[in-house]
Every structure is written in C-alpha cells, then in structure tokens.
Amino acid sequence: MGVLPVPAEVRAILLDIEGTTTPIAFVQETLFPYIKDNVKEYLRAHWEEEECQRDVGLLRKQAQEDSSLDGAVPIPLESGSGEEELERVIQAVVDNVHWQMSLDRKTTALKQLQGHMWRAAYATGHVKGEIFEDVVPAIRKWREAGMKVYIYSSGSIEAQKLLFGYSTEGDILELFDGHFDTKIGPKVESESYRRIAASIGCATNNILFLTDVPQEANAAEEADTHVAVVIRPGNAGLTDDEKSYYSLISSFTELFLPSST
C-alpha cells in the first residue's frame, strides 16, 4: 500500500471508529458482550433512577413500533404489584435488548441504553477503549500540520467520547475537533457528508474520510469527499474491484500530508 498523498485541498480528516481507529474485535468481543452479559444486573441496580426509566420508556416505545416485526419482544408497563411483577418487566427489557442486538439494530433506544451502560463500565475500569497503536502519533502529526480531525461513527457521540476518554492510550479526546453520529444521517447516504461539511464550515472536497466500509466510502465519494479505505486485522475482506478502485491504507502513518513538509 505504501504512501498515500493527501490532496492539497484537504483541511479536515474524518475518521470512522470500528475497523479504522479501533479493532472490530473490541466492539464485537468486548463492548457488545458486556451489554448482553450485564444488562439485567444493570437494570436491577438502576431501575429507580430517572435516567434508567427514560431508557426503558424509549425501549418500550420502540417495542411498540416494532410490534409487527417477526420475533419482536413487547415490554409491558409496570402495574406496581410487587417484586415478581418487576422481574417480569425487567426480563422483557432484557429479552428486547438481546433481540435487537441479535439483528444488529441501531435504534436510538438501544444505543442510548448501551451508552449509559458503557459509561458505567468505563468509569469503573471494567472496560478500556482499544486504539490501534499508529492512531495517536499520526493524529498528533496531522494536527501539528494544521489539520482538523473529526469522528463519524454509528455509535452515539456519548459512546465515542467514552471510548476515547477511557482508552488504552489514556484520555485522548483533546485530539478531536468534533464528533458526529447517525443523528446527522446514515453513513451510507451521501447527504450525511454534505451535512458534516456544512457543520464544520468547509466544502466536501476539503474532507478526507477514512473508513473500512466500501459502502460508506462510496456514499462519501458521491458527495465529492476524498476517501481512503482502511485495511486492518479482522476487517471484512474487499473484492478485487474494490481493491483496485479505492485508495487503501493499512496504517495512518501511510498518509502523507503535503503541508507537513
């Protein structure tokens, strides 16, 4: 793959997380299993808290919207009739969360509960965000060269900040100029990249987007955003056509910034 020159008009680098800054295995083998294994215990411990009740309320509303889907799990209202009733409701929430996760759904309700659970896990040291070792030194160099650096991930902004705030490299949130999640739009739609450009006050061709997902790269390209596809251990393989079409890097150190010379 070698060195990839960054086009002279690029002023900002937009980073995906999973498979780009962070091993897919961390998300799939640490973060998501933590939710599955601990959701019941978390709900029991925090049930009376306002935040937890808001989370359950959102999940219940989502369950109502999902009622026509195959395998959907309804969440009943509490009737206030004792411990057994409470356990029944909590179990329904657990089953609903497991069902949504089994389908890899990205509903706001699910993401919100996950974010709050991960916040507790990071804060207590049960989880640390994994970062590829080339990421931090490369971002520091980009920033020294005058680049702005942003994150765009399907994980919530809160979850992003937890990952980078409690990472294996320490608190590295200062390296980022801003964060975007799917509230600005899906990563596979070109309009999302136009909105991001407008939000940070530049043209789409002033941005270089790094991602491991060709569909995301394609959407960004349609918006006239520069793109490089990141090859990391554990990432999904690319087709021969994708390999020949996209600019590829296997490390952030392979990016060459003309302005840094």
Side-chain angles (χ1 to χ4, degrees):
M1 274 161 264
V3 171
L4 178 66
V6 175
E9 69 262 32
V10 169
R11 299 283 176 269
I13 298 179
L14 184 64
L15 302 173
D16 171 48
I17 293 180
E18 188 179 351
T20 300
T21 66
T22 297
I24 283 178
F26 170 69
V27 178
Q28 301 298 339
E29 297 171 16
T30 300
L31 283 187
F32 287 143
Y34 180 86
I35 300 295
K36 287 181 180 173
D37 295 344
N38 292 279
V39 62
K40 182 181 278 189
E41 182 184 339
Y42 176 87
L43 290 168
R44 282 174 174 159
H46 299 276
W47 190 260
E48 300 300 329
E49 295 168 19
E50 190 178 327
E51 181 180 82
C52 186
Q53 282 302 305
R54 282 199 303 269
D55 293 346
V56 171
L58 263 187
L59 286 164
R60 187 177 281 121
K61 187 175 175 216
Q62 184 65 51
Q64 288 165 350
E65 292 172 15
D66 293 341
S67 59
S68 61
L69 298 180
D70 188 38
V73 181
I75 300 173
L77 287 163
E78 276 184 272
S79 62
S81 59
E83 200 67 29
E84 197 173 307
E85 167 73 5
L86 175 60
E87 278 299 309
R88 189 172 71 87
V89 176
I90 287 176
Q91 187 60 53
V93 177
V94 172
D95 292 345
N96 179 279
V97 167
H98 286 183
W99 172 72
Q100 288 202 61
M101 291 181 70
S102 73
L103 298 175
D104 194 27
R105 300 190 77 203
K106 303 189 190 304
T107 63
T108 299
L110 177 62
K111 290 291 178 189
Q112 182 167 299
L113 175 67
Q114 288 173 331
H116 291 152
M117 286 186 64
W118 286 326
R119 181 183 62 198
Y122 282 114
T124 55
H126 285 103
V127 172
K128 278 189 185 294
E130 266 185 62
I131 312 290
F132 287 113
E133 62 182 17
D134 58 277
V135 169
V136 170
I139 294 177
R140 291 198 196 283
K141 282 187 180 174
W142 300 344
R143 291 178 63 87
E144 284 165 14
M147 283 286 171
K148 300 283 190 183
V149 183
Y150 298 88
I151 296 291
Y152 182 28
S153 171
S154 57
S156 70
I157 288 173
E158 182 178 19
Q160 297 172 28
K161 289 182 174 179
L162 288 168
L163 192 154
F164 293 117
Y166 296 91
S167 85
T168 49
E169 304 290 326
D171 182 350
I172 57 171
L173 282 171
E174 64 178 17
L175 297 180
F176 306 109
D177 294 281
H179 298 257
F180 298 96
D181 59 17
T182 49
K183 284 181 181 170
I184 203 142
K187 296 174 77 181
V188 293
E189 290 183 8
S190 57
E191 188 57 34
S192 304
Y193 300 88
R194 296 187 187 98
R195 289 191 194 113
I196 288 172
S199 174
I200 64 181
C202 68
T204 50
N205 72 344
N206 296 141
I207 298 172
L208 170 64
F209 178 46
L210 304 184
T211 178
D212 63 309
V213 181
Q215 294 94 321
E216 295 173 5
N218 188 49
E221 237 185 16
E222 282 178 9
D224 200 26
T225 298
H226 295 284
V227 170
V229 172
V230 185
I231 312 293
R232 297 286 198 184
N235 286 7
L238 302 177
T239 66
D240 289 341
D241 284 348
E242 288 165 346
K243 287 176 186 172
S244 61
Y245 179 77
Y246 291 110
S247 298
L248 307 176
I249 60 170
S250 60
S251 166
F252 285 6
T253 59
E254 292 168 16
L255 288 184
F256 175 73
L257 274 55
S259 56
S260 63
T261 56

